[in-house]
Amino acid sequence: MFKLNLKIALRNLWKNKGITAINIGGLAIALAAFILVMMYASYETSFDKENPNYDNIYVVGVTYPEFKTNYVAAPLATAIKQNFPEVESAGLITGSSFELTIKNGNNTLFTKNILVADYSAAKILNIKPNSGLLRPQGDDRLTYLSTESMKTLFPNKKDNKPEIVGFGASNSGITGTIAGAIKNNTHSNFKFDGVSIASELGKNDNYNMNAYTIYLQLKPETDVELLEQKINNLYKAELLKSNKVTDVKSISTFLDPLANLHLRPKAGNDAAYKILIALSTLGILILVIACINFTNLSIAQAAKRGKEVGVKKVMGAFRYQLTTQFLVEIFMQCLVAVVLALMLAELVLPSFNHLFQVQLSIWHFHNGLFWQLPLILCVITFIAGIYPAMVLSGFKPAMVLKGNFSTSKQSYWLRNGLLVFQFCIAVVFIISLLTINSQLKYMRTQDVGFTANQVVYIKNLTLFNNPSKLGSVSFEPLREKMMNIPGVKSATVATYIPGGTNGVNSYSANGITANIDFVNVEFDYFETLDIKLKEGRFFSQKFKTDNVNSAVINESAVAKYGFKNPVGQTITGSGIDYKIVGVIKDFKSQGFESIVQPTIYTINDPHGDYKTQIMVKIEESRMAEVLATLKSQWSQINPKDGEDFRYEFLDELYGKLFKKQEQLQSVFFAAASLTIFIAILGLFAFAKYITTGRIKEIAMRKILGANDLQIFKLINKSFFVMVLIANLISWPLAYILTKKWLETFAYRIDIPILPFVLSALITILLTIITVTVQARNAVKANPVDALKYE
């Protein structure tokens, strides 16, 4: 019996190979997209899960009135460990984006992220050097480089013994010891070029120095909410005891699980999480559309199998046997679709990896596909096949053998309803894509308040600050050397560049104390970036006090402190009474998602970071010439930095702020294209079924005088109505979704009407073209051929 059913199934599939190809092809495309989404979702949600303490690790954060941060004072870690027995271990970590040059003879390595951790943090986070984790003695540190970095410096090294290396320029004379190699787990929140492990960190720090991240390993079954409250009370008590803060009511602490850190940290950006949710939803919807296609076409084909069902029922077949037979047929098609989907996914995977900056592999044993795909195969077989199988197996033998068979009204409404649902999803995708395009166009064309074009950011190791500060030098000699190069318009240095994160400190003015952003700059900073002055003046070397206690603030800071006439007023921070000499217009240094923060700019800040970020504005016509000169003369211009001249264009760095949204744009473009393609495939086959079923009606109308245009209008009418209904249903949903997405931007467009109009025009036009092309053969056919048996 099985052999007979298999032959019947294969013959039916071959007989209707056009519909079969559409069924399998549409499902394969949707499955390929779904496979890629599953792999990406699995990758993104499994960061650090290799850590045996994964479920019990938390980071301690602080909430201020203006923001949340994971940077806290080192003494808090010791206080937590001493006061709360449910805390098994507490460790400190600090990172650095400072680019350090390490040399071994002619081999040079530029490290962008050396992670500094104490021994406890290394144990908590499962950071293990290849030679094993050792506790350094006293104040010594053990520095390890990642395996990849060690290969760059020591390409022929076979052992794991310590090595002597040089730091900085080749003539700096600074050397150090690399203790060995350490594996850099790319599937972790803690990526690094190297790790420096200390026995303890922050021993001499106080509660005014928020420079570390505290990680806690809790004992199993700990009441996290209760502990969070106890830490909050402890922190406030410690602040009052240290006399660093008198008003602690507005300050609180929180615990953030390690599981949150990658996608949705409490103190950070959850854009990656939103992208993942959007991507997962799109993948599921595309698969749903393909299943709808499958169901629709299977129901449409039901009439052709009526006599087969009637004969089998007369011969004694039970309904469950027929249902099983049809499910097996659908399973065979789904199985072929899965195989094709794997092939398509493998072809698309390199582009997908490039878009999302990941290294996924279909054939990796740990990606879960080996158990997920069989499960998905069974699920889609059931979802796409159960209703058509029940319809086919439910035909009554007496009626179908007389030729009086048709699918029920319920099937008619289901087919049309599913088709409407397909186009609803397609319309939502089209509107979303067009809205995303409009917002990105707005972001690219809107005036951000400064000019990044023709500004070169030079990577630098020299520390520039107040010359009286230990280890720092004056920037002025270097600026003069660069200004002597023909084509250089201006040069400056600062603690931070636009597109990065600014520092935060407490400043008081006009009776108000608040945490605001600060940037320590040098002369010509505002001129180099073409930042607009609202009132007062910029820093100038003509005024000696600018090096001592002058400040420039932005419009948001003016509003924050309620200044009416800010120029000449005093703002106090870092132990200095700054005189405000100018107010600049707000500029979007953090992009469009974050509102411009109140910011103060100073030249002298004893508590600020070192100025290391060199920016040079160059004439456009002489860019290549100036860069070549800087490269050849860099060891003389900036001796401490040496011969390693490295640069990036500031506009490219700032453009990275748009990366996530550009990814979303690419995802929606692919999703909209796939959805429309699959929907049109289904519509094409469905239109063929409808026109074939109405072939005699079309013949009669032609005999009675109807012309081709009238018949085309007749056939298109029902499809036109369904697509119009799909648009009307989709518009409110698309409006809500795009509104919620736009609300994630501090600076955004109003929801435009054009995407809604275009979605209707696109879907209606595609529907008319698809149905008309499919109906053309029926309309052009000779009426005699359709009516000769009547």
Side-chain angles (χ1 to χ4, degrees):
M1 189 68 180
F2 175 78
K3 189 175 180 181
L4 176 63
N5 286 337
L6 182 62
K7 283 184 178 179
I8 293 172
L10 292 173
R11 284 173 181 169
N12 270 305
L13 293 175
W14 181 253
K15 182 180 178 182
N16 302 291
K17 48 184 174 288
I19 299 295
T20 302
I22 289 173
N23 257 352
I24 294 175
L27 192 57
I29 293 169
L31 272 171
F34 188 69
I35 286 169
L36 293 176
V37 168
M38 275 199 314
M39 290 170 58
Y40 182 70
S42 178
Y43 175 83
E44 288 289 289
T45 54
S46 57
F47 268 61
D48 288 308
K49 281 196 173 179
E50 294 179 4
N51 191 323
N53 305 311
Y54 178 79
D55 293 325
N56 297 315
I57 296 174
Y58 291 80
V59 62
V60 179
V62 180
T63 301
Y64 295 99
E66 300 85 6
F67 62 93
K68 291 183 177 182
T69 180
N70 288 338
Y71 288 101
V72 293
L76 181 60
T78 305
I80 290 172
K81 184 68 177 72
Q82 290 174 347
N83 285 276
F84 307 122
E86 57 265 54
V87 177
E88 195 166 297
S89 183
L92 294 170
I93 273 190
T94 184
S96 172
S97 57
F98 188 81
E99 189 169 285
L100 179 64
T101 307
I102 304 177
K103 293 180 181 291
N104 174 42
N106 294 326
N107 298 325
T108 302
L109 173 72
F110 301 109
T111 63
K112 295 182 180 179
N113 183 20
I114 297 292
L115 199 66
V116 181
D118 65 14
Y119 178 75
S120 297
K123 284 187 68 177
I124 292 170
L125 300 175
N126 202 32
I127 297 173
K128 293 181 180 178
N130 293 352
S131 55
L133 180 62
L134 301 174
R135 185 163 201 149
Q137 299 298 316
D139 293 331
D140 292 342
R141 291 188 183 182
L142 295 176
T143 301
Y144 303 88
L145 292 180
S146 67
T147 307
E148 297 80 8
S149 298
M150 287 295 284
K151 285 180 181 178
T152 301
L153 283 178
F154 307 98
N156 300 317
K157 186 176 175 63
K158 303 295 182 183
D159 56 46
N160 201 39
K161 294 179 180 179
E163 298 285 353
I164 303 295
V165 295
F167 293 104
S170 56
N171 60 356
S172 68
I174 302 173
T175 61
T177 301
I178 302 300
I182 185 170
K183 182 183 177 183
N184 187 358
N185 184 2
T186 56
H187 200 187
S188 169
N189 290 294
F190 309 98
K191 298 183 180 69
F192 46 75
D193 300 308
V195 178
S196 181
I197 299 176
S199 178
E200 292 181 61
L201 288 175
K203 286 190 294 184
N204 300 318
D205 286 11
N206 56 47
Y207 278 91
N208 197 39
M209 303 171 71
N210 298 318
Y212 295 92
T213 304
I214 299 175
Y215 288 91
L216 306 179
Q217 181 180 332
L218 308 184
K219 292 178 181 178
E221 310 303 326
T222 296
D223 187 334
V224 177
E225 290 185 7
L226 178 61
L227 177 62
E228 190 174 53
Q229 185 58 49
K230 290 195 289 186
I231 291 175
N232 185 46
N233 295 335
L234 173 68
Y235 184 58
K236 290 181 177 181
E238 291 291 321
L239 288 177
L240 290 171
K241 190 192 304 181
S242 64
N243 295 320
K244 296 299 179 185
V245 179
T246 55
D247 181 17
V248 296
K249 293 180 182 178
S250 59
I251 301 174
S252 61
T253 61
F254 60 84
L255 294 179
D256 204 8
L258 181 61
N260 279 5
L261 292 190
H262 179 63
L263 290 174
R264 43 179 180 170
K266 290 182 180 178
N269 193 322
D270 63 349
Y273 178 71
K274 291 173 182 174
I275 294 289
L276 180 62
I277 293 297
L279 194 62
S280 301
T281 304
L282 295 182
I284 293 169
L285 287 177
I286 289 171
L287 188 59
V288 167
I289 287 176
C291 289
I292 287 172
N293 247 7
F294 206 109
T295 303
N296 240 349
L297 295 179
S298 297
I299 294 171
Q301 289 291 98
K304 296 183 179 180
R305 305 289 296 274
K307 290 184 179 179
E308 175 194 339
V309 172
V311 170
K312 284 191 173 184
K313 282 198 168 184
V314 169
M315 299 296 292
F318 292 103
R319 186 172 184 179
Y320 79 88
Q321 292 175 314
L322 293 169
T323 303
T324 303
Q325 176 197 333
F326 293 128
L327 281 175
V328 169
E329 289 182 21
I330 291 168
F331 178 82
M332 290 168 57
Q333 295 178 69
C334 292
L335 182 61
V336 175
V338 168
V339 174
L340 290 175
L342 285 170
M343 296 167 65
L344 285 172
E346 182 67 27
L347 289 173
V348 177
L349 192 58
S351 300
F352 186 88
N353 282 339
H354 177 72
L355 175 63
F356 289 99
Q357 299 297 298
V358 292
Q359 293 296 323
L360 303 179
S361 172
I362 290 176
W363 311 112
H364 193 279
F365 181 75
H366 297 291
N367 64 18
L369 283 180
F370 291 94
W371 66 266
Q372 290 170 348
L373 276 182
L375 179 63
I376 291 168
L377 176 60
C378 295
V379 170
I380 61 174
T381 299
F382 181 81
I383 291 173
I386 189 63
Y387 188 81
M390 294 299 290
V391 169
L392 286 165
S393 63
F395 285 140
K396 295 178 180 179
M399 293 184 67
V400 296
L401 292 177
K402 289 179 182 179
N404 299 324
F405 57 87
S406 64
T407 53
S408 65
K409 289 184 178 180
Q410 288 85 352
S411 295
Y412 170 81
W413 284 108
L414 179 65
R415 286 200 311 270
N416 291 352
L418 292 176
L419 193 63
V420 168
F421 182 72
Q422 273 187 311
F423 275 95
C424 280
I425 297 173
V427 169
V428 170
F429 283 173
I430 293 169
I431 292 172
S432 300
L433 173 63
L434 294 174
T435 305
I436 291 170
N437 287 345
S438 298
Q439 174 66 15
L440 282 175
K441 182 180 178 182
Y442 167 80
M443 289 162 63
R444 294 189 186 106
T445 56
Q446 181 76 0
D447 181 16
V448 295
F450 75 101
T451 303
N453 294 337
Q454 308 310 314
V455 177
V456 173
Y457 158 59
I458 300 176
K459 299 180 179 182
N460 158 66
L461 298 176
T462 306
L463 308 177
F464 300 104
N465 241 45
N466 187 331
S468 64
K469 202 165 184 177
L470 183 64
S472 66
V473 299
S474 172
F475 181 70
E476 189 56 31
L478 188 144
R479 191 185 76 86
E480 289 178 357
K481 292 176 185 176
M482 288 194 289
M483 292 301 295
N484 288 330
I485 299 174
V488 174
K489 298 170 72 174
S490 62
T492 190
V493 68
T495 49
Y496 313 104
I497 60 173
T501 304
N502 295 334
V504 178
N505 207 345
S506 178
Y507 292 86
S508 301
N510 207 22
I512 298 171
T513 300
N515 290 301
I516 65 171
D517 284 15
F518 72 84
V519 181
N520 301 330
V521 303
E522 274 293 333
F523 297 106
D524 290 344
Y525 173 83
F526 302 107
E527 294 86 343
T528 300
L529 295 175
D530 195 23
I531 295 169
K532 306 299 185 293
L533 181 68
K534 184 178 181 182
E535 57 181 298
R537 62 175 177 83
F538 293 140
F539 296 124
S540 172
Q541 295 187 7
K542 296 177 182 178
F543 300 89
K544 292 182 179 180
T545 55
D546 282 2
N547 271 313
V548 182
N549 67 337
S550 293
V552 172
I553 62 175
N554 65 357
E555 292 174 300
S556 293
V558 172
K560 182 75 175 179
Y561 290 104
F563 289 126
K564 292 185 178 178
N565 298 297
V567 176
Q569 300 275 1
T570 299
I571 182 168
T572 303
S574 300
I576 296 177
D577 292 332
Y578 292 103
K579 181 183 178 182
I580 299 172
V581 298
V583 177
I584 60 168
K585 292 186 177 181
D586 284 344
F587 68 98
K588 301 177 182 66
S589 64
Q590 305 299 317
F592 286 74
E593 292 182 46
S594 303
I595 195 166
V596 174
Q597 295 298 314
T599 309
I600 181 173
Y601 300 85
T602 63
I603 291 178
N604 175 35
D605 184 349
H607 294 154
D609 294 333
Y610 287 103
K611 301 170 193 172
T612 59
Q613 316 293 304
I614 297 175
M615 289 170 280
V616 182
K617 194 173 189 70
I618 301 171
E619 291 179 17
E620 184 175 0
S621 60
R622 309 188 76 166
M623 178 64 73
E625 175 191 340
V626 171
L627 288 175
T629 304
L630 285 169
K631 181 177 176 62
S632 63
Q633 298 180 11
W634 193 243
S635 57
Q636 291 80 43
I637 294 172
N638 192 7
K640 284 198 172 185
D641 197 36
E643 65 280 5
D644 301 306
F645 178 72
R646 300 152 338 270
Y647 69 90
E648 291 185 62
F649 292 106
L650 189 61
D651 56 351
E652 294 179 0
L653 285 172
Y654 186 75
K656 290 179 181 178
L657 293 175
F658 306 153
K659 181 69 176 176
K660 287 295 180 184
Q661 304 307 329
E662 288 171 349
Q663 285 179 345
L664 192 63
Q665 180 189 35
S666 300
V667 166
F668 266 89
F669 177 78
S673 302
L674 280 176
T675 304
I676 293 170
F677 178 72
I678 294 170
I680 293 302
L681 275 181
L683 183 64
F684 189 80
F686 195 34
K688 181 178 181 180
Y689 165 73
I690 293 296
T691 52
T692 302
R694 301 178 70 175
I695 191 73
K696 292 180 181 178
E697 176 191 348
I698 292 169
M700 288 296 296
R701 287 180 181 273
K702 290 186 72 175
I703 289 172
L704 294 171
N707 58 37
D708 290 355
L709 182 59
Q710 289 173 320
I711 295 173
F712 278 130
K713 286 171 65 177
L714 175 71
I715 296 172
N716 271 293
K717 182 179 178 181
S718 60
F719 290 101
F720 174 83
V721 170
M722 283 190 283
V723 174
L724 192 59
I725 291 171
N727 275 275
L728 293 174
I729 293 172
S730 301
W731 286 350
L733 177 61
Y735 177 84
I736 293 168
L737 292 175
T738 52
K739 187 173 184 291
K740 286 184 71 66
W741 177 74
L742 286 171
E743 285 172 354
T744 62
F745 294 91
Y747 306 97
R748 56 184 179 265
I749 59 171
D750 294 323
I751 297 179
I753 297 175
L754 186 60
F756 295 84
V757 177
L758 283 177
S759 70
L761 292 176
I762 290 169
T763 50
I764 290 171
L765 184 62
L766 288 173
T767 299
I768 292 172
I769 292 172
T770 303
V771 174
T772 301
V773 168
Q774 185 57 273
R776 185 175 181 276
N777 291 334
V779 173
K780 294 295 182 183
N782 191 336
V784 175
D785 294 330
L787 299 174
K788 62 184 177 182
Y789 296 112
E790 294 299 319

